[in-house]
Amino acid sequence: MIRRVTVSSLFPPPLYSHASIVEAGTKLAFLAGSVPLDATGKLVGEGDPVRQTEQVLANLEEQLRAVGSDLAHVLATDVYVVSSDTAVLSAVWDVVEASGLSVGPHSSTLIGVACLGYTGQLVEITATAVVPEVP
C-alpha cells in the first residue's frame, strides 16, 4: 500500500508529492526533494547556501511531521549543492550535521551539481525515513 502526502504548510509542488509512505512491515516514507522555498513559493537565502540549507531542513522537518516521523527516523538522504567547491559543500554539510539529521547515523550522499530546479536554488535534500508506530 502506498500513500502519497502533500504538506499543506509548504509550497505546493507542481507534479509530485512531498512524501510517499509504503507499508511493508515497517512504514517507510520516501520524501521528495526539500527545497529552500517558503510557504508562498519565495526563495529563501538567495545566493547563500548556508541559509538555504537551514530553510531546506526546516521544510524537511515539516514533511517528516506531516507523515508522522522526524529527523531522528531518517534512514537516508541525498544532499545536492550547486557548487564544485568543496568548501561550499562542507559548509552545507556542517549545517546538516548541526540539525540532528545525521543522528543515527543515517546514510547520506553529498553531491555537487550544476543546477537545481528553481531559479537561484543552491541546495536540495531528498530523504527516506521510518514512520514509527504510535502505541
Side-chain angles (χ1 to χ4, degrees):
M1 176 178 199
I2 299 172
R3 182 168 60 97
R4 303 200 190 282
V5 177
T6 299
V7 181
S8 61
S9 62
L10 298 176
F11 183 71
L15 297 173
Y16 59 89
S17 57
H18 287 118
S20 298
I21 298 175
V22 177
E23 192 164 348
T26 296
K27 288 183 184 178
L28 296 177
F30 300 86
L31 284 69
S34 181
V35 298
L37 302 180
D38 66 15
T40 67
K42 182 178 182 242
L43 180 71
V44 174
E46 186 170 348
D48 183 350
V50 168
R51 179 63 189 104
Q52 286 195 18
T53 304
E54 292 166 349
Q55 183 65 43
V56 164
L57 288 164
N59 289 347
L60 179 60
E61 286 187 271
E62 284 290 314
Q63 288 174 265
L64 288 163
R65 249 190 308 279
V67 299
S69 192
D70 56 34
L71 291 176
H73 287 90
V74 171
L75 300 172
T77 59
D78 292 316
V79 181
Y80 301 93
V81 182
V82 176
S83 183
S84 61
D85 182 346
T86 55
V88 174
L89 276 77
S90 292
V92 167
W93 188 251
D94 288 345
V95 177
V96 171
E97 280 189 328
S99 73
L101 182 59
S102 62
V103 173
H106 76 292
S107 302
S108 188
T109 302
L110 179 61
I111 308 162
V113 298
C115 69
L116 291 166
Y118 292 98
T119 301
Q121 180 184 356
L122 301 175
V123 180
E124 184 164 336
I125 299 176
T126 62
T128 302
V130 168
V131 178
E133 293 295 321
V134 178

